[in-house]
């Protein structure tokens, strides 16, 4: 009966993980096809995420990135920073996708000081600021009319290209 319990327990965890994955992806599709509907699913996604942790399922980089992407699109800086902290506490190594998402979020919201902090983290670490990184900088500075910063980013872009 003990082995049967373990099999049942793992099956529940697997089913829960599949549910979370499908929930996130189908909810994302709803917002692709119905963009005028407000983002209302975030509390449900958070609840599923917390339930995953409660039953012993360790959130992966992918599950953190799904939430980060959604909160970034919503412009929720606090939630994105909370997710980054969770990732660091979990021992997950931030990747360039995560850092570029934060660059884009801060730039879109006009928080250029924070955007530059992320860029410094990338430069100090083993992260490569590639052409797509500079595209984010060029777009965000250009949209804000920050021509000096735009020129600097564009010069760096040309050096990398």
């Amino acid at each position: 009966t003990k082995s049967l319990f373990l099999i049942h327990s793992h099956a529940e965890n697997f089913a829960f993980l599949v549910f979370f994955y499908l929930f996130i992806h189908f909810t994302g599709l709803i917002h692709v096809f119905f963009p005028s509907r407000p983002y209302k699913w975030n509390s449900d996604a958070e609840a599923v995420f917390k339930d995953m942790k409660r039953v012993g399922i360790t959130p992966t980089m992918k599950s953190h990135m799904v939430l980060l992407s959604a909160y970034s699109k919503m412009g929720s800086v606090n939630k994105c920073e909370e997710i980054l902290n969770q990732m660091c506490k979990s021992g997950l190594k931030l990747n360039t996708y995560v850092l570029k998402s934060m660059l884009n979020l801060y730039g879109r919201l006009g928080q250029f000081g924070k955007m530059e902090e992320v860029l410094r983290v990338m430069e100090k670490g083993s992260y490569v600021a590639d052409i797509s990184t500079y595209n984010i900088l060029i777009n965000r500075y250009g949209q804000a009319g920050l021509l000096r910063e735009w020129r600097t980013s564009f010069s760096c872009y040309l050096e990398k290209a």
Side-chain angles (χ1 to χ4, degrees):
T1 59
K2 186 176 181 180
S3 61
L4 192 57
F5 173 76
L6 287 175
I7 291 171
H8 178 70
S9 176
H10 287 297
E12 279 183 13
N13 288 347
F14 179 74
F16 193 76
L17 188 59
V18 169
F19 167 76
F20 179 73
Y21 179 80
L22 292 174
F23 176 82
I24 295 297
H25 286 283
F26 284 122
T27 306
L29 287 175
I30 288 169
H31 292 293
V32 167
F33 292 108
F34 303 103
S36 62
R37 293 185 62 170
Y39 282 99
K40 182 178 155 181
W41 67 272
N42 59 340
S43 59
D44 294 334
E46 276 183 274
V48 171
F49 193 76
K50 287 177 184 175
D51 284 344
M52 278 178 61
K53 293 192 321 190
R54 184 182 51 77
V55 297
I57 299 173
T58 305
T60 63
M61 181 64 116
K62 175 75 174 174
S63 54
H64 282 96
M65 286 173 32
V66 166
L67 286 176
L68 180 70
S69 175
Y71 287 129
S72 176
K73 288 176 185 172
M74 292 169 43
S76 181
V77 173
N78 292 337
K79 289 291 185 182
C80 287
E81 289 173 347
E82 187 179 306
I83 299 231
L84 287 179
N85 290 333
Q86 287 177 11
M87 291 170 80
C88 292
K89 285 179 187 174
S90 299
L92 296 172
K93 186 177 185 240
L94 302 180
N95 61 22
T96 55
Y97 174 82
V98 170
L99 294 171
K100 287 177 189 178
S101 293
M102 295 306 292
L103 271 178
N104 211 6
L105 171 67
Y106 289 139
R108 192 173 70 240
L109 298 176
Q111 297 182 9
F112 297 106
K114 286 190 173 188
M115 188 172 83
E116 290 168 8
E117 284 178 35
V118 173
L119 187 61
R120 281 192 293 277
V121 166
M122 290 179 79
E123 290 170 347
K124 286 181 184 175
S126 61
Y127 310 103
V128 177
D130 59 5
I131 291 175
S132 65
T133 306
Y134 290 107
N135 279 338
I136 292 169
L137 297 173
I138 290 166
N139 287 333
R140 296 303 172 199
Y141 285 135
Q143 289 171 349
L146 300 170
L147 297 180
R148 184 171 12 123
E149 292 84 352
W150 182 88
R151 272 190 227 117
T152 303
S153 297
F154 192 68
S155 297
C156 292
Y157 169 81
L158 292 176
E159 290 173 12
K160 296 280 182 179

